[in-house]
Amino acid sequence: MSEKVGVYICHCGTNIAKTVDVEEVSRWAGEQDSVEVSRDYKFMCSSLGQELIEEDIKEKGLTRVVVASCSPHMHEKTFRTACERGGLNPFLFEMANIREHDSWITEDITMATQKAKALVKAAIERVVHHKPLEPLPVDINPNTLVVGGGIAGISAALELANAGYHVYLVEREPTIGGHMAQLDKTFPTLDCSACILTPKMVEVGQHPNITLLTWSEVEKVDGYLGNFTINVRKKARYVNEETCTGCGICIEKCPYKIVDNVFEAGLGVRKVIYRPFPQAVPKYPVIDKENCVFFQRGKCKACQLFCPTEPNSIDFEQEDEILTFQVGNIILATGYDLFDPTRIPQYGYGRLSNVFTSLEFERMVNAAGPTSGKVVLRDMKSQPESVAIIHCVGSRDKNYNEYCSNVCCMYSLKFAHLIHERLPDAEVYNCYIDMRTPGKGYEEFYHRLLDEDTHFIRGKVAEVTDAARSPDEEGKLVVQVEDTLIGMQRRLPVDMVILSPAMEARYDSRKVSQLFKMGCDFDGFFVERHPKLDPVATMTEGILIAGACQGPKDVPASVAQGSAASARVASLIAQGTVMMEPVRASINEELCSGCRICNNLCPYNAITFHEDQEVSEVITALCQGCGTCVAACPSSAITGAHFTNSQLMSEIEGILWDVKKPELASA
Amino acid sequence: MSEAFEPVIVGFLCNWCSYRAADLAGTARIHYAPNMRDIRVMCSGRVDPQFVLKAFREGADGVMIAGCHPGECHYIEGNIKALRRYMLLKQMLRQLGIEEERLQLVWASASEGTVLAEAVNQMTEQIRTLGPLNWHETVLGGGNGRVKHQTVEVTQ
Amino acid sequence: MKKYAYFPGCSLEKLALSYHLSSLETAGKLGVELQELEDWNCCGATTYFHVDQLLAYTLVARNLAMAEKEGLDLVAPCSACYKNAFFTNKYIKEDPDLAEHINFALQEDDLQFNGNLAVRHLIEVFADDVGAAEIKSKVSRPLEGLRIAAYYGCQIVRPRKNSEDVENPQFFEELVTAMGAEPTGFPDRLRCCGGSLIMTSRHAALDMVRKLLQNACDNHADVIATACPLCQVNLECYQQQVNEEFGTNLSIPVLYFTQLLGLALEIPSKSLGIGTELVSAAPIFSRFLEKEVA
Amino acid sequence: MATKPSFSTEIANLLYASHGNPLNTCIQCGTCSGTCPVAEFMDQTPRRLIGMINANLKEKVLDCNTYWFCASCYHCTVRCPANIDIAEVMYAIKRYSIWHKQYKEGLVGPVFSETFVKTIVKSGRSYEPVLAPSYMFSFGPKEFFQEAMMATKMMLRGRIPVLPPRIKRLQNFKEVIRRIIPMGGSS
């Protein structure tokens, strides 16, 4: 085995050359076994640098290439392509990271140079064991699953459907629209939320390329990029969608009302057979089985009695359905939950009746909401003369959520504005830690509120209490806070307190991430492939994320992400086939003892066991290349391509080339 | 060699979190001990116990395995498998008479350059205090290849 | 019968003797044995930590070591003693270096502390180990109609010891209910009474006392119940001074929860130390004590 | 390079390791000062004090009454969104101030603390009448009169001891202390 290795040491201007003696490394590398040529060059990633590699492959007949420069996450692709242009299989290349991992972490030239040699030696030893590999072609099914029918999911679905691709949109509530449908106005333009959202909802409902599955949940996901099999449970609505005209007579005639804790945030009521709101899409109502008198006590059937359609659309016998279909890609847009402010007892929510959450207030100011847009106290009639809005409830706080929830400053400003608009004489206090308004037109909106004479108090509220200490506090809620700009504790007596709770990951986001086999961060938000350069892809091929399930964000950002995820999917569908990194495991049937240890270890269920031959097999398309099975196989029957045992063992030997080994010396 | 002892640590860094954490530490110009020489693996779950033993046998004074935080593994739970192997390995190394500090498992996410740098610094200092491993002396007991510690009790 | 090492603390020797007496009486009635720690020393209160932290931990550790020797968990009726003991125990367990320093010093008294015990507040023992339901079943003279403001103060609940609710605890109110009395609303029940400032920052401390008393009175409490000698002395004995300082006219009895519980268990009021208070509690008790007198 | 540590570092070093997060993680939100029941009596709010420590304003920090007015109620500690143990920070500054004998004039706190400690070191327990006279001189005449009146009432109800309490193994106890403070501590 005599490979001809070319070694290239990059100066990266002075980035590497300042701390690593590159000439010395290059000279020394030239003396190593198998090395045919060793060079150092100012910028290996420049076209001239790349040409050096190409020419050496052609002229000196190199069979392996090592570049010592920056992180492979920067330029591995660049140099692989250069090798390919020179006529070498791109996988016969290896990179040594002597910048991020070496020259930038120390000023000690001797140590840095020594480490550079070790990393280069490791790459040389490794690369001679490399095998030519071919990328794996995978066909892409042109259908797409979008999970979640909020504004992010709607944007994603419409984008793809308009491009001519079929979309399954699955939503667990009876209607699409998500949180945005509950809002009154959107900041900073104060557009009516429903007015801009409902046309999109209707478009989804009517689009020939969209199969809309509401009151449904994804139960099972099998497969891989290009070819997922999805099982969806379509819960029984007890209303036949084929015949229902959505006339609403059943809702009108239903004799039972219950508090609507979902759409109206507990402020309003709905019937037991209901549509969350008049513009709901689809228009079909749903029966709330838990509260339906017929289901609980066997009597009533008022809805059925009055249903005017023929045949009758109310079907008490309806059962859940399981639908199965194939898709090539999945976009998750499962949204967020609002932080539960009862977790901060000192803010009094649930105990002091005139403390409201942001969502309650949104419903209250909504003209279509339970108070027809009137701002009132919990008694539903008196109007507050003073209101305090508390920012950062459950965010920027290590006791709850450490992150900034991104949207609360802006919606709190919006609330202040809406109160000024409805109650011009009311005093409005905004208590904030820092005012965060980084968006187009956002800072201008803040200034508008300053003009409107909102009282801004810089300080995180300590507590809200009804314990009065002076006559002007009697009968009021007292907000105790340090006004940090004057360095004084203040007590603000107000009639109403609005809490601005954080956006949190959905309560079941971990379960969802396991279902779709992708990652979730500490806070429960889905993890993007790269926080800057790949914000809508995930570490699992074929699964993309959009909207607040990835982190707190506002409407424009959610729309942008929804559309971006769709663009990614559309480009894959347009390619028809994609090439995947061939870093995959495979099992040598001869060596496999059939012990099945690997079967359960695989996080992707990519290993099947053939009972007849008593051997396991890796389904290449399912394998993601983590190598867990390779490390576990007691018979060394599994090979992880590009990370084989011999490659890694040689790398270890190389990286420790300079360490004295007495037992080897004496052997 | 009369110079001061410089420990050599072999680091197995997972491609998605810890390798990127090391990239970030470099990009942020965080200075830390250059004593850790890293090998990229796709997942900490790929680290075969053999690799660790091989590194010690080849003369490493310490081995660091670094992966994503539990629950944040790119491959769902490869890091948990790494953790289990690490526990077993530690037990085995103890029986071979190798100090605990010589094998360390670190969780560092892609954004935690400082965490990784700190861990490397700390480990380097610990091993500097311990001195060279001398696998040959410690484990093989003098050179003829026979294992010295044969009757070690397996403790829970 | 569950047995504990009982650490009364300096205040209970005289200043809060009634707390000491009523604790032993009620504990006995509820089947809890409080075995007083022999030759205990002062825990350093808050003050010692102002001067030398390591020495303060050592003082506490001496008591802990003696309790550990008996094989018993330590129970303290004073919130400050409790907090000091709880955290010293915790830090010694977590920090071998601290443990080594302290044990080196303790050798002089032939003691050694290994961290094998739990530290409890007396009210925790009653509320958790005995339990409100059990107490309710033993109450023979329910304090019907008595409105009690249950005052937690600071250091029972703060800083956070385990995962308890530090902003909205309920165990004290549950005990009050178990006595057959009515817990009043008392929004300031977790506010500090300023006990540690009464000697050093008199005006501030009196103002804190005033606010608390006012809040209890605004909520129509007949009596304030406390679980800490510092709180009791501060809230009760300084009422006169509060009135002088602020021109108020506050007068509300302040008793230990054990005294109130003792009444509900029909223990003679004298054994509970009732009658030594500066703001007499007699008027509110007359109807419960009638039988006793007769 | 033996440079003198900055004031903020000195205070940080005085915090026991498990006492929450370091002061430089403070986001100046004011939760501590909004919560503090004594804030209105302080020269500077606790938040500002932390800011001043981080800015190394040693003289200004030591010269304000804030940390001596802390009642150790730990309400700020449990609420701090940065998990800083603010009450323990106040303890740390108190210790620093006592060791360096540098504090605002006219405060009773430092004298009281030292007297209290001496009592414990002498007898193993604290004792009100011994304590009182030694720091009472720093009281104004009004407070002195208040205290004397109350003490009399208390005495009449048997709530103040006549003889100072002592622990039995006092000699051992003193030796224990001597191992922590080699100079003895008692005076």
Side-chain angles (χ1 to χ4, degrees), chain A residues 263-524:
Chain A
F263 192 78
E264 297 293 1
L267 285 187
V269 291
R270 64 160 166 82
K271 291 292 182 63
V272 165
I273 181 165
Y274 71 106
R275 252 195 310 249
F277 54 100
Q279 308 96 315
V281 171
K283 61 194 170 186
Y284 322 114
V286 54
I287 294 179
D288 167 6
K289 192 177 175 183
E290 255 76 86
N291 290 297
C292 175
V293 172
F294 171 73
F295 276 109
Q296 301 308 319
R297 279 181 259 152
K299 276 210 192 96
C300 183
K301 291 195 177 183
C303 47
Q304 197 174 47
L305 208 65
F306 288 97
C307 177
T309 63
E310 192 58 52
N312 197 299
S313 301
I314 305 292
D315 176 6
F316 293 110
E317 308 293 311
Q318 206 177 61
E319 284 180 0
D320 291 4
E321 264 181 275
I322 304 290
L323 308 175
T324 304
F325 50 86
Q326 312 281 324
V327 297
N329 288 278
I330 298 169
I331 299 174
L332 296 177
T334 52
Y336 69 95
D337 283 333
L338 207 60
F339 173 83
D340 170 14
T342 59
R343 288 170 61 195
I344 310 185
Q346 62 268 39
Y347 286 169
Y349 182 72
R351 182 166 47 87
L352 304 170
S353 67
N354 288 318
V355 179
F356 292 83
T357 66
S358 58
L359 206 54
E360 286 176 324
F361 187 74
E362 289 282 3
R363 293 311 301 153
M364 193 189 282
V365 282
N366 195 312
T371 63
S372 311
K374 278 224 289 278
V375 177
V376 290
L377 298 180
R378 197 70 74 174
D379 64 7
M380 291 291 159
K381 45 179 204 284
S382 0
Q383 296 190 328
E385 286 168 9
S386 47
V387 182
I389 302 167
I390 303 182
H391 295 223
C392 299
V393 175
S395 58
R396 300 192 67 197
D397 188 330
K398 292 198 164 84
N399 299 303
Y400 308 101
N401 294 301
E402 204 173 334
Y403 55 81
C404 166
S405 181
N406 193 310
V407 299
C408 326
C409 279
M410 283 307 294
Y411 79 64
S412 302
L413 290 176
K414 177 186 77 180
F415 288 172
H417 172 80
L418 293 174
I419 298 168
H420 288 311
E421 197 179 87
R422 313 274 151 112
L423 305 168
D425 295 329
E427 299 292 335
V428 183
Y429 299 88
N430 269 57
C431 302
Y432 65 98
I433 305 178
D434 294 298
M435 188 60 72
R436 295 187 168 173
T437 58
K440 194 171 174 179
Y442 290 10
E443 181 70 6
E444 292 86 336
F445 190 69
Y446 175 31
H447 281 271
R448 184 169 169 184
L449 268 294
L450 289 167
D451 283 342
E452 289 176 2
D453 276 341
T454 312
H455 304 288
F456 285 99
I457 294 182
R458 190 198 171 280
K460 184 172 160 76
V461 169
E463 60 193 49
V464 179
T465 170
D466 56 351
R469 294 222 195 113
S470 61
D472 60 327
E473 292 179 359
E474 294 291 343
K476 301 269 187 181
L477 293 173
V478 181
V479 175
Q480 193 171 310
V481 57
E482 182 192 17
D483 188 331
T484 62
L485 297 180
I486 52 178
M488 235 179 75
Q489 194 181 81
R490 291 179 66 181
R491 285 170 64 87
L492 314 167
V494 294
D495 295 321
M496 180 187 224
V497 169
I498 304 169
L499 305 178
S500 299
M503 288 167 106
E504 282 191 329
R506 285 278 188 201
Y507 68 95
D508 57 352
S509 73
R510 261 167 230 288
K511 235 173 77 189
V512 172
S513 81
Q514 280 161 11
L515 180 66
F516 290 92
K517 303 188 181 65
M518 36 80 70
C520 217
D521 66 15
F522 177 78
D523 298 305

Side-chain angles (χ1 to χ4, degrees), chain A residues 15 70-74 76 80 94-97 99-108 111-112 114-115 118-119 122 126 510 513-514 517-523 527 529-530 539-540 581 583 600-604 624-633 636 640 643-645 648-664 666, chain B residues 1 3 6-62 70-79 81-82 84-85 110-111 116-117 120 128 134-137 140 143:
Chain A
N15 277 312
C70 49
S71 168
H73 293 295
M74 294 289 296
E76 189 171 55
R80 276 186 179 172
E94 178 65 10
M95 209 161 164
N97 184 347
R99 192 178 72 172
E100 282 86 346
H101 292 193
D102 191 10
S103 72
W104 277 351
I105 61 155
T106 182
E107 282 169 356
D108 184 332
M111 287 287 283
Q114 191 68 8
K115 180 167 176 180
L119 294 175
R126 186 190 209 278
R510 261 167 230 288
S513 81
Q514 280 161 11
K517 303 188 181 65
M518 36 80 70
C520 217
D521 66 15
F522 177 78
D523 298 305
V527 182
R529 183 178 275 263
H530 189 284
M539 298 291 190
T540 306
E581 278 264 307
V583 177
N600 292 330
L601 277 181
C602 178
Y604 302 96
Q624 301 282 319
C626 66
T628 300
C629 58
V630 187
C633 179
S636 301
F643 286 87
T644 64
N645 281 347
L648 289 167
M649 288 294 199
S650 309
E651 193 173 356
I652 296 169
E653 283 172 20
I655 216 162
L656 294 166
W657 71 282
D658 56 336
V659 182
K660 277 204 287 186
K661 289 174 272 282
E663 76 271 32
L664 295 182
S666 64
Chain B
M1 280 207 294
E3 308 159 23
E6 280 298 340
V8 174
I9 299 168
V10 173
F12 293 97
L13 308 189
C14 93
N15 181 51
W16 305 98
C17 293
S18 309
Y19 194 89
R20 283 164 205 250
D23 279 358
L24 181 66
T27 311
R29 310 294 200 279
I30 298 165
H31 283 184
Y32 63 94
N35 301 53
M36 190 267 287
R37 301 170 176 186
D38 57 283
I39 290 176
R40 181 163 66 129
V41 286
M42 293 308 278
C43 178
S44 52
R46 173 66 181 96
V47 179
D48 190 323
Q50 284 187 71
F51 297 169
V52 176
L53 297 175
K54 168 87 174 172
F56 281 127
R57 212 163 54 229
E58 291 292 324
D61 300 303
E72 293 181 7
C73 178
H74 177 143
Y75 300 107
I76 303 170
E77 50 183 24
N79 50 359
K81 282 146 197 163
R84 284 194 208 133
R85 289 186 190 131
S111 59
L116 189 87
V120 172
R128 198 189 300 282
N134 295 330
W135 170 275
H136 190 63
E137 305 292 322
L140 303 179

